[in-house]
Amino acid sequence: MRKILVVEDEEAIREVVGLNLRMAGYEVYEAASAEEALTVFKECKPFDVAVLDIMLPGMNGFSLCENIRRDSATVGIIMLSAKSQETDKIRGLSIGADDYMTKPFSISEFLARVDALVRRVTHNAPEEQAEDDGRMVSGVFVLDQKSRVLYKNGQPIDLTQVEFQIMELFFANPGVALVREKILEGVWGENYFGDVKIVDVNIRRLRMKIEDEPSAPKHIMTVWGYGYRWNS
């Protein structure tokens, strides 16, 4: 059974979300604060997905996200917030969240996003990779599909599952301009409900990790008004 961590200080919301996730077949763990969530996460891991409210007492959801992401590159993270400001969305995605929803939200849409994220995370888990999976090579980069690690000049670079999948898409299409919608569909799935800007945020994060000078990228090139192109 897939495990979900729900962190929400409003008891009514936490109970509704938890109940619906359990009815959908998930094993659900709940926490009312970030501090409690970190304890639960460490004691009961691994989790497939963590659902984090931003406005929490004490440590906020952004800091919690950073803590969880440092501990695990594979867990899927969905941020929840009553705010609709673009800056909150960008910040959440920039620090490692995979998706973002603004309250109030439809339970059916929420479950659809959780299902999609769980499928993506579990499909790409290292232990579920076929034994004959090899390595994808592009210039000084090697994408190891068994260990789910990217190497640059032999040095490992830690990537989230989403970042790794974007790199797989790039390596499979070298020199090809990929429109943002194609990247969104290829990584998040054709039924994803979110904003295409999530692609831009993850590209920015990838450049910080793999480019010598992120502000002057040589590998992940912007195709203005269209999308991105990978150069080895």
Side-chain angles (χ1 to χ4, degrees):
M1 184 180 292
R2 300 304 181 184
K3 292 166 62 175
I4 311 288
L5 173 62
V6 177
V7 188
E8 168 62 67
D9 63 321
E10 294 187 46
E11 185 177 359
I13 296 176
R14 190 173 67 249
E15 288 182 351
V16 168
V17 168
L19 174 62
N20 280 274
L21 285 170
R22 291 185 179 93
M23 291 175 63
Y26 292 109
E27 181 180 354
V28 181
Y29 293 74
E30 299 179 12
S33 68
E35 291 77 8
E36 181 185 357
L38 287 174
T39 299
V40 173
F41 187 82
K42 292 177 181 178
E43 292 180 352
C44 305
K45 66 181 181 182
F47 284 91
D48 296 290
V49 168
V51 180
L52 315 179
D53 185 34
I54 290 178
M55 301 301 291
L56 294 169
M59 181 190 298
N60 64 29
F62 292 126
S63 297
L64 176 58
C65 177
E66 291 176 314
N67 274 273
I68 289 178
R69 185 54 78 207
R70 280 195 296 268
D71 188 83
S72 173
T74 60
V75 63
I77 298 177
I78 299 178
M79 305 290 293
L80 303 179
S81 175
K83 297 180 179 180
S84 59
Q85 283 88 343
E86 190 74 10
T87 52
D88 285 331
K89 180 186 297 186
I90 298 300
R91 182 180 176 188
L93 296 173
S94 297
I95 61 177
D98 298 288
D99 204 350
Y100 185 106
M101 293 191 72
T102 303
K103 295 186 288 187
F105 51 80
S106 159
I107 284 294
S108 59
E109 180 181 344
F110 170 75
L111 291 176
R113 292 209 193 185
V114 170
D115 289 342
L117 186 53
V118 167
R119 284 195 301 271
R120 193 164 70 244
V121 169
T122 55
H123 174 73
N124 289 286
E127 62 271 19
E128 295 189 8
Q129 293 297 309
E131 290 185 1
D132 61 352
D133 278 352
R135 294 187 170 198
M136 302 176 74
V137 180
S138 181
V140 299
F141 295 92
V142 176
L143 203 62
D144 191 322
Q145 294 174 300
K146 283 186 178 180
S147 64
R148 310 300 288 178
V149 174
L150 173 68
Y151 294 89
K152 179 181 181 182
N153 292 316
Q155 298 299 312
I157 300 173
D158 291 330
L159 301 180
T160 66
Q161 290 286 3
V162 165
E163 292 165 351
F164 192 92
Q165 286 179 269
I166 293 175
M167 292 305 298
E168 282 184 315
L169 196 61
F170 279 145
F171 274 41
N173 298 274
V176 178
L178 300 176
V179 68
R180 286 175 174 83
E181 287 77 9
K182 180 177 177 60
I183 299 174
L184 190 72
E185 179 178 337
V187 176
W188 282 268
E190 59 182 11
N191 295 319
Y192 179 70
F193 294 91
D195 194 325
V196 72
K197 290 181 181 178
I198 194 172
V199 173
D200 299 323
V201 176
N202 278 277
I203 292 296
R204 190 179 311 139
R205 219 162 57 193
L206 270 171
R207 282 174 171 162
M208 294 295 294
K209 294 183 177 183
I210 72 171
E211 299 282 359
D212 293 331
E213 295 184 26
S215 60
K218 295 182 178 180
H219 302 292
I220 303 178
M221 310 301 296
T222 299
V223 181
W224 296 106
Y226 189 81
Y228 299 96
R229 183 183 68 249
W230 171 255
N231 290 338
S232 60

